[in-house]
């Protein structure tokens, strides 16, 4: 319900610094490793904005059968166990080969939660959002966490080429219009996505 969502968002505001720190730690480690490997890159990291969290929860609440894990009892217990992009890190590289190199580094650099959607996976299907290599990671390697403030925090990591990133941004603007303004993409707009 909307009051429950407001309660979750208020609690998240108190926890947001934890997710900001988790994203920053993932980004810093990747920058160091990629510099050492000689891979040209751009890294951005962030905690999800509370307004975006509210929007996501409202959207998920609209389809409870499809989004069965977005249940009040589970969210209330551990919001970060369900909403995996509270911390996010994106690595933009110049070639598909570099994307593969970074993808291969992830299991060595970061511990990963025990979830079916955690492993490193390359997504490149027309109807899937954000073509990239995706993984869920903890902001530390196995057995080496020295920062208890981020213990157990999950960060959604995306590795993408510059070209795919451009496509993803255009596709997002067209496909997700209905989310923001109640609009559906026209046939011509869908055709642009197919052509790209």
């Amino acid at each position: 319900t909307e009051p429950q969502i407001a309660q979750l968002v208020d609690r998240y505001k108190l926890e947001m610094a934890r997710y900001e720190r988790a994203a920053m730690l993932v980004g810093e480690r990747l920058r160091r490793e990629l510099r050492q490997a000689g891979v040209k890159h751009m890294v951005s990291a962030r905690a999800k904005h509370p307004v975006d969290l509210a929007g996501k929860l409202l959207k998920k609440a609209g389809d409870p059968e499809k989004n069965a894990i977005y249940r009040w009892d589970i969210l209330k217990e551990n919001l970060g166990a369900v909403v995996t992009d509270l911390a996010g890190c994106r690595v933009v590289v110049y070639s598909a080969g570099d994307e593969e190199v970074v993808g291969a580094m992830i299991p060595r650099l970061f511990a990963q939660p025990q979830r079916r959607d955690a492993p490193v996976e390359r997504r490149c299907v027309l109807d899937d959002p954000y073509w990239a290599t995706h993984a869920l990671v903890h902001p530390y390697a196995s057995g080496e966490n020295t920062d208890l403030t981020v213990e157990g925090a999950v960060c959604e990591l995306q590795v993408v080429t510059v070209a795919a990133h451009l496509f993803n941004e255009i596709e997002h603007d067209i496909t997700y219009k209905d989310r923001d303004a109640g609009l559906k993409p026209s046939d011509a707009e869908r055709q642009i996505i197919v052509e790209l």
Side-chain angles (χ1 to χ4, degrees):
T1 65
E2 287 190 32
Q4 290 171 325
I5 290 171
Q7 185 177 340
L8 291 170
V9 170
D10 285 344
R11 191 180 83 214
Y12 170 67
K13 288 176 186 176
L14 300 174
E15 300 173 3
M16 192 172 164
R18 174 178 191 245
Y19 293 101
E20 190 74 47
R21 175 96 177 124
M24 185 187 69
L25 289 171
V26 170
E28 287 174 357
R29 173 168 255 171
L30 284 165
R31 281 185 194 96
R32 280 193 311 271
E33 292 287 328
L34 295 174
R35 271 191 223 108
Q36 287 180 350
V39 175
K40 292 182 181 179
H41 62 280
M42 296 172 280
V43 175
S44 61
R46 58 89 183 131
K48 191 171 208 68
H49 193 281
V51 171
D52 295 333
L53 174 60
K56 180 173 190 162
L57 293 173
L58 195 57
K59 183 177 180 181
K60 298 292 186 181
D63 193 350
E65 287 182 27
K66 182 179 175 187
N67 303 302
I69 62 167
Y70 283 79
R71 294 190 350 238
W72 170 245
D73 59 327
I74 299 171
L75 290 164
K76 183 176 62 168
E77 182 68 29
N78 184 354
L79 182 64
V82 177
V83 184
T84 57
D85 64 346
L86 296 176
C89 184
R90 180 172 295 146
V91 180
V92 180
V93 294
Y94 289 91
S95 72
D98 287 342
E99 183 179 339
E100 289 178 22
V101 167
V102 180
M105 288 179 174
I106 294 170
R108 175 176 59 83
L109 296 176
F110 303 104
Q112 292 187 266
Q114 297 297 313
R115 300 172 53 106
R116 64 169 184 75
D117 54 350
V120 179
E121 172 190 32
R122 184 148 200 291
R123 297 182 194 164
C124 190
V125 178
L126 185 60
D127 290 330
D128 280 351
Y130 210 84
W131 290 15
T133 297
H134 291 252
L136 297 179
V137 300
H138 294 299
Y140 42 82
S142 290
E144 78 166 19
N145 183 24
T146 58
D147 188 338
L148 295 179
T149 65
V150 295
E151 180 68 36
V154 173
C155 180
E156 182 181 280
L157 176 56
Q158 299 170 339
V159 185
V160 64
T161 64
V162 171
H165 180 62
L166 176 61
F167 169 82
N168 292 331
E169 292 301 312
I170 293 168
E171 192 272 343
H172 186 271
D173 286 348
I174 291 172
T175 303
Y176 291 97
K177 277 183 178 181
D178 61 323
R179 179 187 73 180
D180 297 328
L183 302 174
K184 297 283 184 192
S186 69
D187 289 342
E189 289 170 324
R190 291 294 301 158
Q191 185 59 35
I192 289 170
I193 295 298
V194 170
E195 290 171 11
L196 286 173

